[in-house]
Every structure is written in structure tokens, then in C-alpha cells.
Amino acid sequence: MLKYALPASLLLSVSAFAQTQVVTSIKPVSMIVTAIGGDEVKVEQLVNNQASPHDYAMRPSDLRKLDQADLVVWVGELLETFLEKPLANLSSKKDIEWMALSGTYLREFGEEGHDHEDHEDHEDHEDHKDHEDHEGHDHEDHDHEGHEDHDHDEHDHKDHEHEAHDEHGHEGHDHTGTDPHVWLDPANAKILAHNVMEQLSKLDPEHKQEFAANYQAFVGALETADNNVEATLAPIKDVPYFVFHEAYGYFEGHYGLNNKGAVTLSPERKPGAKTVANIRTEIEEHNVACIFSEPQFSPAIVETLIDGTDVKTAVLDPLGVSLKLSNDSYPAFLEALAGQYATCLK
């Protein structure tokens, strides 16, 4: 009886087919899924690294990726509004919604720093019994009706310093209410990593031990990075600065930084002349050392604000766009972000 060897190309295709297909929304989510899944997972990211999730529009190819995925991992409907209806239509689709996970710390816009002393035990999460049903996250039962309009005006954003920004009308991504930028808190990253490990183990039980080992390695690398970032930022904790938009509260609260305000509430809209004048006044009053821009948005308004002043400017990258996706990319992302702060604030 003749035996035929399979062509190498066919072996590769069979191997690729065996991978768990995971669709992610943004780069930081991809970082964590990659760290836990390793070679057993194929990650398909929806929002490209040069785009912003705040104003992303779904394409037909994105819908196909969702339809073919074994698992969808996203931040939440307050950030990726474009995913809400497609996921609702995929009633049998398994997904992990980061902001809905038990133990995820959620802050409100304008909220002061957060003490993580009570948050350190989340790495194990063995008692998430109340969350066991989230693996399937049946979107037929998920009540999306209350989220259709995302009417954030009901939240009284009293703590925000820039009342003059109200002239924007808060259209687009309205920065009031709950802050969706949860990936900028390393304690929240540990929460997602644990849930990804659990879901991948159920989808691919043959590699359960690998996922568990990857999770433990991730936790170790995360703790090392956390300590390194703390050491990097300690000398500049009191230095005042402005950010482009209010996206960094989780990071700033975790490490105790001295953010004095944001250039714009809604990154899709440029502040008006009155707002620019008010910010210039605040920059002088607070002796601001730096105004940070972002790679996803035009820095022109920042250049206008610092024109004729000694204020420095630098880029903060809240999505880690320049980092290569690898098992170590999330800890590297935290350290890179800390370096971006330190470069401008020293």
C-alpha cells in the first residue's frame, strides 16, 4: 500500500486551521490575548494601529471576521460602539467584554487617583462564580436597549476643570460618565488575562496547561513592568502637565501623576477659540511643563497652545501602535508609556 506525504503547504494550512480564531478590537487587547494564547491562537484585530476606536466604522471584512471567530475580545460598548449591534446579531458568539468582567476597576471621568491596595488579589480570580456564564455572553439576553443612544448627559461631570469645553456640545465620543480606557491600568490587564486563559482553555482544552503557563509568565512580567514604571515615574509625580484628551486616568491614578487637564473632551473635535484661550490661561496658572499629543490625532492644536511659551510637547501613545505584537508587548507598552511621560516631564 502506497503512503503519500502531505505537501508542506498543506501541513501549514492544517496547522493554521487548528488555531483558535480570536477577534480583538484594539492593540492593547491583542497584546494580552497574544500573551496568553501564544502560538495556539490566531489574532485578528479590527481597529488598525493608526486609527482610533472612538470613531471607527465597521467594514464588510470586519463582519466576516466576527462571523468566523471562535472568540471576540473587546473593551466595551462605551468605547467600541461600532461592535455593539454586530455582536448582538451574533447571538451564539462567545465574547469577553472587558468592562463587564467581575473585578475590573472602572473609574468615572474626573475621578481622582485610585488606591490599588485592595486590588492586588485579582490575579487569581478563582472565585468568579458569578461570572461563569459570561463565557458565552448570549447576546439575545444581553440588554442593549438601554445603550442604544449612550446618553451620557445624565452624568453630572462636576469635577472636570474645563467648563469652557461645554461649547463643544459633547458630540461624538462624550467624555463623561464611566471611563472606558481600562487597558491603561495594569491591575485590569491581569483581570482580562485571567479570563482569556479560562475561555481559551474551554475552547481548546488540549492546550490548557500552555495557557495557564502563559498566564503565569504574563503576571510575572506585568509585576516587573509595574515596578519599573513606578521607579521611572516616581521623580516626576508632582510635575504638572496637560494631555490631548482625557484617556489616561487609569494610568495616572495607578501611578499618582499630576494631570492638570485635557485639551479636548472629544478627540474628534477641535476646541474653539474660547477654549484655547482658557487652556492657555490654565497652562500659565498651573505652570504646566508639557502638553502631550497622540499619534492618532493631529498635533496642530497642541502646537498652537505652546506657541510662544516654554512648555514642551511630546507624544503619548495610549494604544502602543509602534510595538510589535508579542508575548511581552503589554508589559513593554506600560514601560514605553512611562518613558514617554518621563521624557517630557524631567
PDB file of all heavy atoms in Angstrom, residues 63-80:
ATOM      1  N   LEU A  63     -17.016  42.255   9.529  1.00  0.00           N
ATOM      2  CA  LEU A  63     -18.175  41.416   9.853  1.00  0.00           C
ATOM      3  C   LEU A  63     -17.878  39.952   9.569  1.00  0.00           C
ATOM      4  O   LEU A  63     -18.304  39.065  10.324  1.00  0.00           O
ATOM      5  CB  LEU A  63     -19.391  41.885   9.059  1.00  0.00           C
ATOM      6  CG  LEU A  63     -19.920  43.277   9.415  1.00  0.00           C
ATOM      7  CD1 LEU A  63     -21.017  43.690   8.446  1.00  0.00           C
ATOM      8  CD2 LEU A  63     -20.443  43.307  10.847  1.00  0.00           C
ATOM      9  N   ARG A  64     -17.124  39.702   8.505  1.00  0.00           N
ATOM     10  CA  ARG A  64     -16.741  38.329   8.199  1.00  0.00           C
ATOM     11  C   ARG A  64     -15.822  37.763   9.283  1.00  0.00           C
ATOM     12  O   ARG A  64     -15.933  36.598   9.664  1.00  0.00           O
ATOM     13  CB  ARG A  64     -16.057  38.270   6.824  1.00  0.00           C
ATOM     14  CG  ARG A  64     -17.015  38.414   5.652  1.00  0.00           C
ATOM     15  CD  ARG A  64     -16.361  38.008   4.342  1.00  0.00           C
ATOM     16  NE  ARG A  64     -15.260  38.902   3.977  1.00  0.00           N
ATOM     17  CZ  ARG A  64     -15.407  40.021   3.271  1.00  0.00           C
ATOM     18  NH1 ARG A  64     -16.625  40.394   2.875  1.00  0.00           N
ATOM     19  NH2 ARG A  64     -14.357  40.748   2.963  1.00  0.00           N
ATOM     20  N   LYS A  65     -14.908  38.585   9.764  1.00  0.00           N
ATOM     21  CA  LYS A  65     -14.012  38.143  10.841  1.00  0.00           C
ATOM     22  C   LYS A  65     -14.809  37.775  12.102  1.00  0.00           C
ATOM     23  O   LYS A  65     -14.537  36.762  12.751  1.00  0.00           O
ATOM     24  CB  LYS A  65     -13.011  39.253  11.183  1.00  0.00           C
ATOM     25  CG  LYS A  65     -11.959  39.495  10.125  1.00  0.00           C
ATOM     26  CD  LYS A  65     -11.062  40.663  10.508  1.00  0.00           C
ATOM     27  CE  LYS A  65     -10.061  40.978   9.399  1.00  0.00           C
ATOM     28  NZ  LYS A  65      -9.226  42.155   9.729  1.00  0.00           N
ATOM     29  N   LEU A  66     -15.789  38.590  12.430  1.00  0.00           N
ATOM     30  CA  LEU A  66     -16.626  38.300  13.597  1.00  0.00           C
ATOM     31  C   LEU A  66     -17.373  36.993  13.410  1.00  0.00           C
ATOM     32  O   LEU A  66     -17.488  36.181  14.337  1.00  0.00           O
ATOM     33  CB  LEU A  66     -17.623  39.441  13.836  1.00  0.00           C
ATOM     34  CG  LEU A  66     -17.068  40.781  14.325  1.00  0.00           C
ATOM     35  CD1 LEU A  66     -18.195  41.799  14.420  1.00  0.00           C
ATOM     36  CD2 LEU A  66     -16.379  40.630  15.682  1.00  0.00           C
ATOM     37  N   ASP A  67     -17.880  36.778  12.209  1.00  0.00           N
ATOM     38  CA  ASP A  67     -18.667  35.579  11.923  1.00  0.00           C
ATOM     39  C   ASP A  67     -17.825  34.306  12.025  1.00  0.00           C
ATOM     40  O   ASP A  67     -18.316  33.251  12.432  1.00  0.00           O
ATOM     41  CB  ASP A  67     -19.286  35.692  10.526  1.00  0.00           C
ATOM     42  CG  ASP A  67     -20.264  34.570  10.237  1.00  0.00           C
ATOM     43  OD1 ASP A  67     -21.191  34.374  11.053  1.00  0.00           O
ATOM     44  OD2 ASP A  67     -20.098  33.896   9.213  1.00  0.00           O
ATOM     45  N   GLN A  68     -16.547  34.405  11.683  1.00  0.00           N
ATOM     46  CA  GLN A  68     -15.673  33.243  11.667  1.00  0.00           C
ATOM     47  C   GLN A  68     -14.941  33.021  12.996  1.00  0.00           C
ATOM     48  O   GLN A  68     -14.300  31.991  13.174  1.00  0.00           O
ATOM     49  CB  GLN A  68     -14.638  33.400  10.543  1.00  0.00           C
ATOM     50  CG  GLN A  68     -15.260  33.418   9.148  1.00  0.00           C
ATOM     51  CD  GLN A  68     -14.290  33.885   8.082  1.00  0.00           C
ATOM     52  OE1 GLN A  68     -13.129  34.174   8.365  1.00  0.00           O
ATOM     53  NE2 GLN A  68     -14.771  33.974   6.840  1.00  0.00           N
ATOM     54  N   ALA A  69     -15.026  33.960  13.912  1.00  0.00           N
ATOM     55  CA  ALA A  69     -14.242  33.894  15.151  1.00  0.00           C
ATOM     56  C   ALA A  69     -14.769  32.848  16.129  1.00  0.00           C
ATOM     57  O   ALA A  69     -15.974  32.599  16.214  1.00  0.00           O
ATOM     58  CB  ALA A  69     -14.234  35.256  15.821  1.00  0.00           C
ATOM     59  N   ASP A  70     -13.842  32.245  16.856  1.00  0.00           N
ATOM     60  CA  ASP A  70     -14.211  31.379  17.978  1.00  0.00           C
ATOM     61  C   ASP A  70     -14.476  32.211  19.232  1.00  0.00           C
ATOM     62  O   ASP A  70     -15.225  31.800  20.118  1.00  0.00           O
ATOM     63  CB  ASP A  70     -13.072  30.391  18.275  1.00  0.00           C
ATOM     64  CG  ASP A  70     -12.806  29.461  17.111  1.00  0.00           C
ATOM     65  OD1 ASP A  70     -13.763  28.813  16.649  1.00  0.00           O
ATOM     66  OD2 ASP A  70     -11.646  29.383  16.665  1.00  0.00           O
ATOM     67  N   LEU A  71     -13.835  33.372  19.296  1.00  0.00           N
ATOM     68  CA  LEU A  71     -13.943  34.234  20.465  1.00  0.00           C
ATOM     69  C   LEU A  71     -13.711  35.672  20.036  1.00  0.00           C
ATOM     70  O   LEU A  71     -12.858  35.941  19.186  1.00  0.00           O
ATOM     71  CB  LEU A  71     -12.907  33.826  21.524  1.00  0.00           C
ATOM     72  CG  LEU A  71     -12.853  34.626  22.824  1.00  0.00           C
ATOM     73  CD1 LEU A  71     -14.127  34.404  23.654  1.00  0.00           C
ATOM     74  CD2 LEU A  71     -11.614  34.231  23.639  1.00  0.00           C
ATOM     75  N   VAL A  72     -14.490  36.590  20.596  1.00  0.00           N
ATOM     76  CA  VAL A  72     -14.302  38.020  20.366  1.00  0.00           C
ATOM     77  C   VAL A  72     -13.939  38.664  21.700  1.00  0.00           C
ATOM     78  O   VAL A  72     -14.622  38.444  22.708  1.00  0.00           O
ATOM     79  CB  VAL A  72     -15.574  38.685  19.792  1.00  0.00           C
ATOM     80  CG1 VAL A  72     -15.343  40.183  19.578  1.00  0.00           C
ATOM     81  CG2 VAL A  72     -15.997  38.012  18.485  1.00  0.00           C
ATOM     82  N   VAL A  73     -12.867  39.438  21.716  1.00  0.00           N
ATOM     83  CA  VAL A  73     -12.441  40.119  22.945  1.00  0.00           C
ATOM     84  C   VAL A  73     -12.407  41.616  22.659  1.00  0.00           C
ATOM     85  O   VAL A  73     -11.714  42.071  21.743  1.00  0.00           O
ATOM     86  CB  VAL A  73     -11.060  39.625  23.415  1.00  0.00           C
ATOM     87  CG1 VAL A  73     -10.740  40.227  24.799  1.00  0.00           C
ATOM     88  CG2 VAL A  73     -11.013  38.096  23.492  1.00  0.00           C
ATOM     89  N   TRP A  74     -13.164  42.360  23.444  1.00  0.00           N
ATOM     90  CA  TRP A  74     -13.270  43.807  23.239  1.00  0.00           C
ATOM     91  C   TRP A  74     -13.328  44.515  24.574  1.00  0.00           C
ATOM     92  O   TRP A  74     -13.442  43.879  25.625  1.00  0.00           O
ATOM     93  CB  TRP A  74     -14.466  44.136  22.358  1.00  0.00           C
ATOM     94  CG  TRP A  74     -15.820  43.674  22.863  1.00  0.00           C
ATOM     95  CD1 TRP A  74     -16.156  42.419  23.303  1.00  0.00           C
ATOM     96  CD2 TRP A  74     -17.015  44.453  22.959  1.00  0.00           C
ATOM     97  NE1 TRP A  74     -17.483  42.365  23.643  1.00  0.00           N
ATOM     98  CE2 TRP A  74     -18.038  43.595  23.455  1.00  0.00           C
ATOM     99  CE3 TRP A  74     -17.328  45.771  22.665  1.00  0.00           C
ATOM    100  CZ2 TRP A  74     -19.353  44.044  23.674  1.00  0.00           C
ATOM    101  CZ3 TRP A  74     -18.636  46.206  22.866  1.00  0.00           C
ATOM    102  CH2 TRP A  74     -19.620  45.352  23.357  1.00  0.00           C
ATOM    103  N   VAL A  75     -13.243  45.842  24.558  1.00  0.00           N
ATOM    104  CA  VAL A  75     -13.241  46.616  25.794  1.00  0.00           C
ATOM    105  C   VAL A  75     -14.658  46.799  26.315  1.00  0.00           C
ATOM    106  O   VAL A  75     -14.962  46.480  27.463  1.00  0.00           O
ATOM    107  CB  VAL A  75     -12.551  47.982  25.593  1.00  0.00           C
ATOM    108  CG1 VAL A  75     -12.643  48.819  26.876  1.00  0.00           C
ATOM    109  CG2 VAL A  75     -11.093  47.781  25.195  1.00  0.00           C
ATOM    110  N   GLY A  76     -15.549  47.322  25.474  1.00  0.00           N
ATOM    111  CA  GLY A  76     -16.927  47.538  25.914  1.00  0.00           C
ATOM    112  C   GLY A  76     -17.632  48.542  25.030  1.00  0.00           C
ATOM    113  O   GLY A  76     -17.009  49.282  24.264  1.00  0.00           O
ATOM    114  N   GLU A  77     -18.947  48.586  25.163  1.00  0.00           N
ATOM    115  CA  GLU A  77     -19.757  49.392  24.253  1.00  0.00           C
ATOM    116  C   GLU A  77     -19.554  50.887  24.432  1.00  0.00           C
ATOM    117  O   GLU A  77     -19.880  51.674  23.550  1.00  0.00           O
ATOM    118  CB  GLU A  77     -21.238  49.041  24.424  1.00  0.00           C
ATOM    119  CG  GLU A  77     -21.731  49.168  25.847  1.00  0.00           C
ATOM    120  CD  GLU A  77     -22.968  48.318  26.095  1.00  0.00           C
ATOM    121  OE1 GLU A  77     -23.113  47.271  25.456  1.00  0.00           O
ATOM    122  OE2 GLU A  77     -23.766  48.731  26.953  1.00  0.00           O
ATOM    123  N   LEU A  78     -18.979  51.315  25.577  1.00  0.00           N
ATOM    124  CA  LEU A  78     -18.696  52.738  25.747  1.00  0.00           C
ATOM    125  C   LEU A  78     -17.507  53.179  24.903  1.00  0.00           C
ATOM    126  O   LEU A  78     -17.349  54.361  24.608  1.00  0.00           O
ATOM    127  CB  LEU A  78     -18.416  53.058  27.222  1.00  0.00           C
ATOM    128  CG  LEU A  78     -19.605  52.972  28.173  1.00  0.00           C
ATOM    129  CD1 LEU A  78     -19.183  53.307  29.600  1.00  0.00           C
ATOM    130  CD2 LEU A  78     -20.732  53.900  27.732  1.00  0.00           C
ATOM    131  N   LEU A  79     -16.664  52.236  24.511  1.00  0.00           N
ATOM    132  CA  LEU A  79     -15.520  52.561  23.650  1.00  0.00           C
ATOM    133  C   LEU A  79     -15.780  52.137  22.212  1.00  0.00           C
ATOM    134  O   LEU A  79     -15.718  52.949  21.296  1.00  0.00           O
ATOM    135  CB  LEU A  79     -14.248  51.877  24.155  1.00  0.00           C
ATOM    136  CG  LEU A  79     -12.995  52.228  23.355  1.00  0.00           C
ATOM    137  CD1 LEU A  79     -12.460  53.593  23.772  1.00  0.00           C
ATOM    138  CD2 LEU A  79     -11.920  51.159  23.500  1.00  0.00           C
ATOM    139  N   GLU A  80     -16.064  50.832  22.016  1.00  0.00           N
ATOM    140  CA  GLU A  80     -16.269  50.319  20.661  1.00  0.00           C
ATOM    141  C   GLU A  80     -17.759  50.235  20.361  1.00  0.00           C
ATOM    142  O   GLU A  80     -18.324  49.150  20.263  1.00  0.00           O
ATOM    143  CB  GLU A  80     -15.628  48.932  20.508  1.00  0.00           C
ATOM    144  CG  GLU A  80     -14.150  48.891  20.821  1.00  0.00           C
ATOM    145  CD  GLU A  80     -13.880  48.173  22.136  1.00  0.00           C
ATOM    146  OE1 GLU A  80     -14.799  48.088  22.970  1.00  0.00           O
ATOM    147  OE2 GLU A  80     -12.759  47.699  22.330  1.00  0.00           O
TER     148      GLU A  80
END
